[in-house]
C-alpha cells in the first residue's frame, strides 16, 4: 500500500505531465535531472525509489507547482509564475504557444523572481513590474508586480486592466474599447488606441512589496 507521501508525489507528477503534455523524459531534460529518477518511481510508485528532495525541487521549479503533502481540501493549490523583465516580455510575446510555455518554464528553472498564485492560472501566465504612473490614480503604482494572462488566453473586457510593453516602459491602462485609458496623476500619460499598442496581456492579480 502506498503511503500518503508517495501518493502526493504521484498525484502531482502525473497531473503536471497530463496538464503540460510532458513525458517523463521531457520534464527531466527541462529540469536538468536524470530521467530514471522519474521513471523508476512512476513504474512502481508503491515500491520504487522516491526522487530526492533536490530532484523534486528542480522538477517543481520548471513545472511552476509542487507536491501537496497536506490535505488538499484544506489548502488551495499554489502555482508560480515568473516575473519577466521588459526584454524577456518582448521575447516571450514573439514566441508561439509551445515555445512560449517552454520559455516561461526555463525562466523559473533559471531562478527568475516569481509570484505565488492560489488557484488556477494558465501555462502562459507571467508577471511584469509596472514602470510608469499610468494607473497610479487607480491604485496600481510603479514597481507593483502585475500577473498577466496573454490575449490568446484571456480576451479583455471593458473596464479590465491591460498592460502594454513599449520602448523602455511597462504601462497599465483601463480598457474602454477601442481605447486604453490611463488613470493617472501624470499629465504626460495619454489615451492610446488598443490596436496600436503592444499589449502584453490582461491583469488578473497585483502584488505590492511594502519594503524593497
Amino acid at each position: 500500500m502506498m503511503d500518503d507521501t508517495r501518493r502526493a508525489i504521484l498525484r502531482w507528477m502525473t497531473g503536471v505531465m497530463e496538464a503540460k503534455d510532458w513525458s517523463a523524459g521531457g520534464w527531466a531534460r527541462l529540469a536538468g535531472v536524470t530521467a530514471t529518477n522519474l521513471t523508476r518511481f512512476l513504474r512502481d510508485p508503491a515500491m520504487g525509489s522516491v526522487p530526492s528532495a533536490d530532484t523534486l525541487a528542480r522538477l517543481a521549479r520548471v513545472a511552476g507547482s509542487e507536491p501537496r503533502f497536506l490535505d488538499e481540501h484544506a489548502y488551495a493549490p499554489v502555482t508560480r509564475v515568473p516575473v519577466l523583465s521588459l526584454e524577456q516580455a518582448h521575447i516571450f510575446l514573439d514566441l508561439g504557444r509551445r515555445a512560449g510555455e517552454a520559455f516561461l518554464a526555463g525562466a523559473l528553472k533559471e531562478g527568475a523572481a516569481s509570484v505565488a498564485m492560489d488557484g488556477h492560472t494558465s501555462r502562459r501566465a507571467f508577471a511584469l513590474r509596472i514602470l510608469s504612473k499610468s494607473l497610479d490614480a487607480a491604485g496600481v503604482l510603479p514597481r507593483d508586480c502585475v500577473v498577466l494572462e496573454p490575449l490568446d488566453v484571456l480576451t479583455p473586457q471593458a473596464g479590465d486592466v491591460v498592460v502594454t510593453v513599449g520602448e523602455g516602459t511597462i504601462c497599465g491602462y483601463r480598457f474602454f474599447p477601442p481605447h486604453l485609458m490611463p488613470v493617472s496623476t501624470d499629465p504626460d500619460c495619454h489615451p492610446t488606441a488598443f490596436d496600436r499598442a503592444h499589449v502584453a496581456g490582461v491583469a488578473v492579480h497585483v502584488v505590492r512589496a511594502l519594503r524593497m
Side-chain angles (χ1 to χ4, degrees):
M1 179 181 295
M2 268 195 299
D3 61 29
D4 289 343
T5 297
R6 286 175 175 269
R7 188 174 294 108
I9 294 171
L10 177 65
R11 182 170 55 240
W12 171 67
M13 290 176 65
T14 54
V16 167
M17 290 190 295
E18 180 179 350
K20 296 183 178 294
D21 194 25
W22 285 350
S23 65
W27 191 2
R29 284 191 296 275
L30 283 172
V33 300
T34 303
T36 53
N37 289 336
L38 283 69
T39 55
R40 278 193 304 237
F41 175 74
L42 291 170
R43 279 199 300 264
D44 186 4
M47 299 298 293
S49 298
V50 175
S52 69
D54 179 70
T55 294
L56 290 174
R58 291 172 181 269
L59 294 172
R61 193 172 294 118
V62 298
S65 65
E66 58 193 23
R68 302 295 298 174
F69 295 112
L70 300 177
D71 183 353
E72 63 182 9
H73 298 293
Y75 298 90
V78 175
T79 59
R80 288 192 171 273
V81 299
V83 181
L84 302 184
S85 67
L86 178 59
E87 180 182 6
Q88 288 174 316
H90 280 294
I91 293 171
F92 168 76
L93 293 169
D94 286 338
L95 297 173
R97 178 175 290 269
R98 283 189 176 274
E101 291 172 8
F103 181 82
L104 297 179
L108 289 170
K109 176 186 175 184
E110 292 166 8
S114 62
V115 175
M117 293 287 294
D118 291 336
H120 176 73
T121 56
S122 80
R123 288 175 280 173
R124 291 175 55 72
F126 63 100
L128 294 174
R129 292 194 185 278
I130 298 296
L131 300 179
S132 79
K133 293 184 177 180
S134 54
L135 271 184
D136 66 340
V140 181
L141 306 179
R143 301 300 299 166
D144 281 355
C145 192
V146 182
V147 178
L148 306 174
E149 293 284 6
L151 299 184
D152 60 354
V153 173
L154 186 61
T155 301
Q157 304 296 316
D160 281 347
V161 171
V162 301
V163 173
T164 65
V165 289
E167 293 298 326
T169 191
I170 299 172
C171 299
Y173 297 91
R174 288 284 184 187
F175 178 49
F176 292 105
H179 292 101
L180 299 176
M181 305 294 295
V183 186
S184 177
T185 61
D186 185 348
D188 291 329
C189 291
H190 302 290
T192 186
F194 179 83
D195 60 3
R196 293 184 179 180
H198 195 179
V199 177
V202 180
V204 295
H205 193 75
V206 177
V207 179
R208 176 172 303 147
L210 296 181
R211 294 184 67 178
M212 299 301 290

